[in-house]
Amino acid sequence: MGSPRRRRWALLAVWGPGLVVMLADTDAGSLITAAQSGAQWGYRMVLPQLILMPILYVVQEMTVRLGIVTGRGHGALIRERFGRGWAWLSAFTLFASAIGALLTEFVGVAGVGELFGVSRWVSIPIATTMLLALALTGSYRRVERIGLAIGAAELAFLVAMVMARPQLDALLAGLSSMPLGNSSYLLLVAANVGAVIMPWMIFYQQGAVVDKHLSVATIRQARYDTATGAVLTQLIMIAVVLTVAATIGTHQEAAPLQTVGQIAGALTPYLGEFGGTVLFGLGMLGAALVAAIVASLAGAWGLSEVFGWQHTLNQRPTRATAKFYTTYALAHLVGAALVLGSVDLVNLAVDVEVMNALLLPIVLGLLLVLEARALPEQWRMSGVRKYTTRTLCLVVIAFGLYMVPQALGWT
């Protein structure tokens, strides 16, 4: 009994990178988008969230194989395979998306603080200090466990969904309706798709499986970890859509839902102070903090790989790892300073979403090429799986780019 039990625990120890990166994917910006979707289109926005589950999985699963089989992070592989020029380009996309993500998360932290009467000048410095201290623990596994614990606060959205009592018949009717001919509906679908894949997610999960020293024998469990995370994060998005659809969407479709405070204020009449403010605030805070952890680590890992700096969370800062830890710290400090100095936080968050949409062709294009070239033949995709994955990636790119003109006000 002892040996099989030890093997089971060893397999479970593989889990973590997929769950953490997927919980981070449901970040502050994504949750606000889900709330807007539920308010404007109700239950008809649930089916797109279900369709996004396999898209999330196939993209992140490629990073699992690349990291485990090659033992290299994403930036290092790009430098080795395509040279410094492409490595510099990937470093730019990573830096831009990581800082952009941190801006969005700090906007979320500031919004939750203001729900409870705490100034952003208090909440953001506290969050920044906590996130900086986290990297100094000297253990990737410890950081991962803390990230999972923080991200678990997002389960509060499932409780809020139950409290909202969504109607089953209306849900079933919504699942059979996707008015893709309506430009307003299509724009929100594009916004949801554009929030799914971000450059920092790819860099993080590939770097995490390398830092965790996972072997080829663990790929199956790493895939289960990624699949479970993809399902969980989309269930949380669906919970937000359903909560808002069953309350605000039924009674006041024109309610503005662009900030944490507006969403919580609109939910409170239906769910009470506990459901509308406490549960929503707790879930949003957990989402913002776990995403801040993942985005900043992805940025530090990726830039270190591109420039050849020594990088690991498994030892405390030394002269050898100083550049890695400095990059991690600067990402937080720059993000916090930009949010504290910005008056229009809503437009700031929108700008970040537009930027990520523009970066999608570069990021997913490089990922697909690496999967086809950097892996030994037995670990590459083939047949139906290969063409299905490529098609799904093209759909993500197309919808992300579709969102850009509308978000910029060009149409």
Side-chain angles (χ1 to χ4, degrees):
M1 292 293 291
S3 181
R5 185 177 301 166
R6 281 196 297 272
R7 283 198 296 269
R8 284 195 295 271
W9 278 111
L11 290 175
L12 284 176
V14 172
W15 286 49
L19 286 171
V20 170
V21 79
M22 294 300 187
L23 286 172
D25 185 40
T26 315
D27 66 353
S30 298
L31 294 173
I32 290 174
T33 300
Q36 290 173 327
S37 301
Q40 294 179 26
W41 289 97
Y43 300 103
R44 283 175 287 185
M45 198 55 79
V46 173
L47 184 56
Q49 303 295 346
L50 291 171
I51 295 172
L52 286 172
M53 285 183 187
I55 295 177
L56 264 172
Y57 171 74
V58 297
V59 171
Q60 293 302 125
E61 188 273 341
M62 283 189 279
T63 72
V64 169
R65 280 182 290 119
L66 282 167
I68 293 178
V69 175
T70 68
R72 296 282 190 276
H74 198 66
L77 272 184
I78 292 173
R79 189 183 73 244
E80 291 174 8
R81 291 283 168 172
F82 308 121
R84 290 187 178 181
W86 284 104
W88 275 83
L89 179 61
S90 71
F92 165 75
T93 63
L94 174 63
F95 178 79
S97 68
I99 294 295
L102 281 169
L103 292 178
T104 304
E105 311 327 327
F106 282 135
V107 167
V109 170
V112 173
E114 288 165 1
L115 278 182
F116 300 98
V118 179
S119 166
R120 75 173 75 162
W121 291 93
V122 175
S123 60
I124 290 180
I126 290 175
T128 303
T129 302
M130 289 174 52
L131 292 167
L132 291 176
L134 182 62
L136 303 178
T137 61
S139 167
Y140 167 77
R141 291 180 185 274
R142 192 174 297 119
V143 171
E144 182 180 270
R145 292 189 192 107
I146 293 171
L148 285 171
I150 293 173
E154 294 181 48
L155 298 178
F157 291 119
L158 300 179
V159 180
M161 178 190 68
V162 174
M163 293 178 65
R165 298 180 181 178
Q167 298 177 341
L168 182 59
D169 55 344
L171 173 58
L172 293 175
L175 287 173
S176 62
S177 174
M178 283 183 67
L180 294 175
N182 186 297
S183 60
S184 176
Y185 180 84
L186 197 60
L187 176 60
L188 261 181
V189 171
N192 280 281
V193 173
V196 169
I197 306 299
M198 305 179 196
W200 49 265
M201 292 177 62
I202 292 169
F203 278 86
Y204 175 86
Q205 190 163 2
Q206 192 165 332
V209 297
V210 173
D211 224 29
K212 203 167 181 176
H213 306 298
L214 299 186
S215 67
V216 171
T218 65
I219 283 184
R220 177 177 291 184
Q221 287 298 317
R223 284 171 170 161
Y224 292 156
D225 172 40
T226 304
T228 303
V231 172
L232 178 59
T233 190
Q234 286 309 109
L235 286 179
I236 291 169
M237 289 285 282
I238 290 170
V240 174
V241 172
L242 291 179
T243 301
V244 176
T247 53
I248 303 167
T250 305
H251 299 91
Q252 51 181 96
E253 296 181 9
L257 297 175
Q258 295 181 314
T259 68
V260 174
Q262 288 174 347
I263 298 171
L267 285 173
T268 297
Y270 306 105
L271 303 182
E273 188 72 21
F274 177 74
T277 301
V278 176
L279 281 180
F280 183 80
L282 180 65
M284 182 65 77
L285 184 62
L289 288 177
V290 72
I293 293 170
V294 169
S296 55
L297 277 178
W301 267 328
L303 288 178
S304 297
E305 291 161 1
V306 167
F307 296 117
W309 303 336
Q310 185 173 330
H311 57 286
T312 180
L313 282 178
N314 291 317
Q315 64 182 54
R316 296 182 186 277
T318 63
R319 181 175 295 180
T321 58
K323 292 179 180 178
F324 163 70
Y325 279 103
T326 300
T327 302
Y328 176 85
L330 283 176
H332 286 95
L333 295 174
V334 170
L338 288 173
V339 172
L340 287 173
S342 175
V343 177
D344 191 348
L345 298 184
V346 173
N347 281 338
L348 187 64
V350 171
D351 291 342
V352 170
E353 291 180 7
V354 172
M355 178 193 66
N356 277 327
L358 287 170
L359 296 177
L360 278 176
I362 299 171
V363 175
L364 289 184
L366 285 172
L367 178 64
L368 288 170
V369 174
L370 280 175
E371 196 279 339
R373 294 186 181 180
L375 290 172
E377 188 171 353
Q378 67 267 31
W379 290 109
R380 298 175 193 166
M381 296 181 296
S382 60
V384 174
R385 180 184 173 194
K386 177 174 70 174
Y387 294 108
T388 300
T389 298
R390 290 179 177 177
T391 300
L392 291 175
C393 288
L394 288 175
V395 168
V396 172
I397 291 171
F399 270 100
L401 292 179
Y402 173 82
M403 183 179 67
V404 174
Q406 286 87 345
L408 291 176
W410 293 346
T411 61

